[in-house]
Amino acid sequence: MQAAHVRTPPFPFPFPSVTGALRAVEALLLARGQRTARRNAWNSVLEDRRRAKDRVEAQRVMEAVAGPASRAT
């Protein structure tokens, strides 16, 4: 018996799936935007930390100004 002829593709690698191709294009096009989004998110975290620190400091000042009588209530 003779082995069945297997047709080989003209390229040495298979074509990527449509989903894989779209993901690659998306990653290429959105890479800069994702970096910007991450940088903006990190800046928001830092700003939230600054506000929390300022809030704690303001509370300490208010308690110091009010005196010990207001802490007893």
Side-chain angles (χ1 to χ4, degrees), residues 16-29:
S17 67
V18 173
T19 304
L22 289 175
R23 284 183 181 168
V25 170
E26 180 185 33
L28 181 66
L29 294 175

Side-chain angles (χ1 to χ4, degrees), residues 47 58-59 66:
E47 185 62 30
Q59 185 175 357

Side-chain angles (χ1 to χ4, degrees), residues 2-3 5 10 17 19 22 24 28 30 32 35-38 45 51 54 56-57 59 67-68 71 73:
Q2 195 175 21
H5 178 69
S17 67
T19 304
L22 289 175
L28 181 66
L30 297 180
R32 186 171 180 195
R35 280 194 302 268
T36 300
R38 280 194 297 268
V45 167
R51 273 192 239 119
D54 291 344
V56 168
E57 184 179 341
Q59 185 175 357
R71 286 189 215 142
T73 58

Side-chain angles (χ1 to χ4, degrees), residues 1-2 7-8 14 25-26 42 44-45 48 53 65 70:
M1 256 182 140
Q2 195 175 21
R7 187 170 167 235
T8 58
V25 170
E26 180 185 33
W42 181 245
S44 293
V45 167
D48 287 345
K53 183 180 173 184
V65 168
S70 66

